[in-house]
Amino acid sequence: MTMVRIALPNKGRLNQSAIRLMNRIGFPVPDASNRTLLAEFGKGRYQILLVRAQDIPEFVEMGAADLGITGLDLVMETGRKIEKVLDLDFGRCRLVVAVPEDSPIQKVEDVRDGCTVATSFPNLTKEFFQRMGKHVEIAEVSGATEVAPQVGLADIITDLTETGSTLKLNHLREIAVILESRAVLIGNKKAMSDKQARIE
């Protein structure tokens, strides 16, 4: 019997929507707060694995999961070789370039070579500025990117935003969009052919 293993985010902005989606299609996935990392359904034909959203592209590429739900931003950032199966209707956000409100920078073209950009998306950020012909220093942070300019860590940030309210709250303004993101269902290339019927 072929089992299909599906990786879901264990917390963060996609967790609740991914679990609701699974519940709607008949998988009563436990809330991640109860610490269950693996749950089986359909008499062992399906297994749900709860892991960090940023690890899901790797789990799927390496075959630890056949399918996964994660953000397109994380798929693009990791560059993992997976198959995008489906765009989902939640988790919409943008990866943007933002500067302090009082910065003279109005658009990306105004960014000086050598300035520092704080981000938790170093690969997408580097590629974006290279495409724009800009040479910037990347300061990789794992969270609270918005405070980087205030504490002198960086001149500019790139960060995910849904509405822009967190940027405004931190006296930042958006000057460019690097990527429009949303939740996506991704698949392991080998599993997509070996377990096609079950996955469908």
Side-chain angles (χ1 to χ4, degrees), residues 25-47:
I25 61 172
F27 296 141
V29 178
D31 188 320
S33 64
N34 80 8
R35 296 282 165 252
T36 305
L37 297 180
L38 269 178
E40 285 193 2
F41 303 99
K43 299 188 176 76
R45 293 193 312 258
Y46 299 95
Q47 201 175 51

Side-chain angles (χ1 to χ4, degrees), residues 93-120:
C93 59
R94 303 180 313 282
L95 179 61
V96 301
V97 181
V99 297
E101 280 169 354
D102 56 6
S103 167
I105 299 169
Q106 297 302 320
K107 52 192 188 304
V108 177
E109 289 73 16
D110 301 337
V111 173
R112 290 185 331 277
D113 281 350
C115 87
T116 305
V117 184
T119 185
S120 49

Side-chain angles (χ1 to χ4, degrees), residues 130-200:
Q130 279 169 353
R131 274 200 318 272
M132 302 302 285
K134 298 289 176 182
H135 303 283
V136 296
E137 299 294 322
I138 302 287
E140 192 174 343
V141 294
S142 57
T145 313
E146 303 90 352
V147 300
Q150 292 170 37
V151 297
L153 177 68
D155 311 291
I156 299 174
I157 69 163
T158 70
D159 202 8
L160 287 180
T161 182
E162 233 172 296
T163 61
S165 57
T166 309
L167 294 176
K168 284 190 185 75
L169 212 62
N170 287 282
H171 309 292
L172 295 164
R173 61 183 160 77
E174 201 179 303
I175 61 163
V177 176
I178 296 175
L179 176 73
E180 298 274 355
S181 186
R182 66 195 305 169
V184 288
L185 178 67
I186 59 173
N188 171 281
K189 292 189 171 182
K190 186 174 180 332
M192 294 302 289
S193 61
D194 293 355
K195 304 179 184 181
Q196 190 180 9
R198 178 64 51 78
I199 286 169
E200 284 300 326

Side-chain angles (χ1 to χ4, degrees), residues 50-109:
L50 292 162
V51 292
R52 290 173 358 139
Q54 54 267 52
D55 294 336
I56 290 175
E58 181 179 7
F59 273 63
V60 171
E61 183 193 50
M62 306 303 274
D66 302 307
L67 296 170
I69 292 178
T70 190
L72 179 63
D73 50 296
L74 296 170
V75 173
M76 303 292 285
E77 174 64 22
T78 59
R80 294 282 176 179
K81 290 171 179 55
I82 52 85
E83 224 165 280
K84 192 171 97 168
V85 183
L86 207 59
D87 285 321
L88 301 172
D89 63 354
F90 59 89
R92 288 175 192 277
C93 59
R94 303 180 313 282
L95 179 61
V96 301
V97 181
V99 297
E101 280 169 354
D102 56 6
S103 167
I105 299 169
Q106 297 302 320
K107 52 192 188 304
V108 177
E109 289 73 16

